[in-house]
Amino acid sequence: MEPIRFASIIVTYRCNAKCHMCNTWQYPTSPQEEITPALLEKLPHIASINVTGGEPFLRQDLDEILTVLERKAKRIVISTNGFWTDRILDVARRHPRVGVRVSLEGLPKANDELRGIPNGFDRAIRTITGLSQLGLRDIGFGITLSDRNTKDLMELYSLAKMMNVEFATAAVHNSFYFHKMDNHFNNPQAATEQLDLLIEQLLASRRIKDWFRAYFNHGLKNYIEGKPRLLPCRMGHNAFFLDPMGRVLPCNVVDRSMGNLHQSTFEEIWTSAKAQEIRKEVCNCGHNCWMMGSVSEAMKTNLRVPMKWVLGRKLRGRRSCACSTGSPTAC
């Protein structure tokens, strides 16, 4: 069996946002049925964990959850809409090595419209600023691209650079997790043209990490265009999702439970015949989704593929520069 490199822990389906691209908020879990810190003690060692929801900061025991998970993982990142600034900063003070990613769907008008949170942009920026003032090292925000916010992509990227925080991208997907099957792009070309601009900016960066982010966005562009996935998916093999009721799922698109932590140990679930059956289904999955949680591990596993793409684009850029100036040293 492969080592487990990534897990997404969905601690709640409760959410204060009413997002246009996600209806999870219409199907909240009750606090009584949600996984507890004690149940999370069953988890194995995992390289990287994303804590998500719903809105994770609606959990009153998030501090205890993180205390358990910090013993299980080298890296933990919480995804949040950033609305509960004081609550988020309090948790960050007690868990300074935990990363935070705040969802921003564009500049104020687009963000507040798409997230359904009045003054949501203002709250999110205050949260990011507060985390920076605390000295938290792993901070960032990200956008989920749709027809409504494509034109705000490069402005948000510039804002992230000015604030010296990380910038993540995604695109609208359909799945049981989002309770959405009608997400789509009416104008995919507008999105892919903006992604081309972002890719060029990332490739021009001096940070190697940005070069590989350029490859991720190349794959995101490929997904929006409806083309086959660039890398094989290993969800359910070296990564999994845990839902608020304790079900171990391969991902947030394939709604098939390998087992429940309330009833079995993680090892029993992970090595079961049912898990093996679901892994075969994942290998034949036709969704072609391209989300950072699964793709980042696929990129590490197939490092030569993104590396070859990056080197090719960098070399092509240098040749283009030399041709336009007449001197390679001008680049």
Side-chain angles (χ1 to χ4, degrees):
M1 300 294 290
E2 298 179 50
I4 299 176
R5 301 183 59 85
F6 172 75
S8 188
I9 312 298
I10 310 167
V11 294
T12 183
Y13 283 141
R14 290 176 283 146
C15 193
N16 60 308
K18 296 177 174 61
C19 293
H20 177 75
M21 63 288 189
C22 174
N23 285 335
T24 299
W25 58 275
Q26 296 183 28
Y27 302 88
T29 44
S30 66
Q32 294 74 26
E33 67 181 327
E34 293 169 352
I35 49 179
T36 64
L39 190 70
L40 296 176
E41 293 282 6
K42 288 187 169 187
L43 292 177
H45 177 80
I46 303 162
S48 177
I49 289 177
N50 174 227
V51 178
T52 186
E55 172 49 51
F57 285 93
L58 288 174
R59 287 288 301 249
Q60 298 300 314
D61 57 352
L62 186 58
D63 186 45
E64 290 84 353
I65 287 173
L66 293 176
T67 297
V68 173
L69 295 181
E70 282 177 317
R71 296 196 295 268
K72 303 287 183 179
K74 293 180 181 178
R75 182 172 185 244
I76 301 169
V77 175
I78 308 175
S79 298
T80 174
N81 57 45
F83 187 80
W84 309 103
T85 301
D86 292 341
R87 200 175 299 176
I88 295 168
L89 297 183
D90 285 344
V91 170
R93 289 186 187 96
R94 291 190 292 272
H95 302 273
R97 79 175 183 90
V98 171
V100 179
R101 292 294 180 274
V102 177
S103 297
L104 280 176
E105 304 311 331
L107 298 178
K109 183 178 180 181
N111 179 78
D112 294 1
E113 176 186 316
L114 286 170
R115 289 248 151 210
I117 307 177
N119 300 317
F121 184 90
D122 178 77
R123 289 291 196 99
I125 292 297
R126 288 180 186 277
T127 294
I128 296 165
T129 303
L131 291 169
S132 179
Q133 290 171 342
L134 284 180
L136 216 69
R137 300 183 59 152
D138 192 358
I139 314 168
F141 58 82
I143 182 174
T144 299
L145 286 173
S146 65
D147 286 320
R148 175 65 182 84
N149 62 3
T150 298
K151 60 183 175 57
D152 289 354
L153 173 64
M154 294 308 296
E155 283 82 0
L156 279 189
Y157 171 67
S158 296
L159 180 61
K161 285 181 66 178
M162 286 189 290
M163 297 181 73
N164 195 30
V165 299
E166 304 292 344
F167 182 67
T169 51
V172 289
H173 281 71
N174 294 311
S175 82
F176 76 94
Y177 172 66
F178 302 116
H179 293 276
K180 288 283 284 188
M181 292 298 166
D182 59 352
N183 281 324
H184 67 280
F185 283 88
N186 291 315
N187 187 7
Q189 185 177 352
T192 57
E193 286 175 352
Q194 292 301 307
L195 283 171
D196 278 334
L197 296 175
L198 178 61
I199 288 167
E200 292 303 320
Q201 289 280 317
L202 292 169
L203 286 171
S205 169
R206 294 183 178 182
R207 299 176 70 205
I208 295 176
K209 184 176 184 178
D210 284 345
W211 302 350
F212 287 93
R213 280 193 173 148
Y215 177 81
F216 173 82
N217 283 284
H218 166 63
L220 194 60
K221 176 184 171 183
N222 184 76
Y223 162 76
I224 292 171
E225 291 172 336
K227 298 176 181 176
R229 183 182 164 109
L230 297 179
L231 294 171
C233 179
R234 301 299 293 168
M235 294 303 290
H237 294 78
N238 62 9
F240 67 91
F241 271 58
L242 180 68
D243 81 1
M245 286 71 70
R247 295 192 307 156
V248 177
L249 309 169
C251 64
N252 63 350
V253 174
V254 178
D255 189 12
R256 295 273 278 124
S257 174
M258 296 178 170
N260 196 303
L261 278 183
H262 286 289
Q263 299 156 1
S264 309
T265 67
F266 184 85
E267 290 73 18
E268 289 169 342
I269 294 169
W270 199 243
T271 59
S272 67
K274 189 173 185 180
Q276 295 287 12
E277 175 188 326
I278 292 172
R279 289 186 186 106
K280 291 178 182 177
E281 293 181 23
V282 171
C283 290
N284 296 312
C285 175
H287 287 284
N288 288 328
C289 39
W290 193 260
M291 305 183 199
M292 181 56 79
S294 61
V295 173
S296 62
E297 296 308 321
M299 287 172 63
K300 293 171 187 174
T301 304
N302 303 273
L303 188 58
R304 289 184 180 182
V305 177
M307 187 178 294
K308 182 179 178 180
W309 180 88
V310 168
L311 291 175
R313 290 295 297 266
K314 297 285 283 184
L315 288 172
R316 189 168 68 187
R318 288 185 64 83
R319 284 196 299 267
S320 174
C321 181
C323 290
S324 64
T325 63
S327 169
T329 58
C331 297

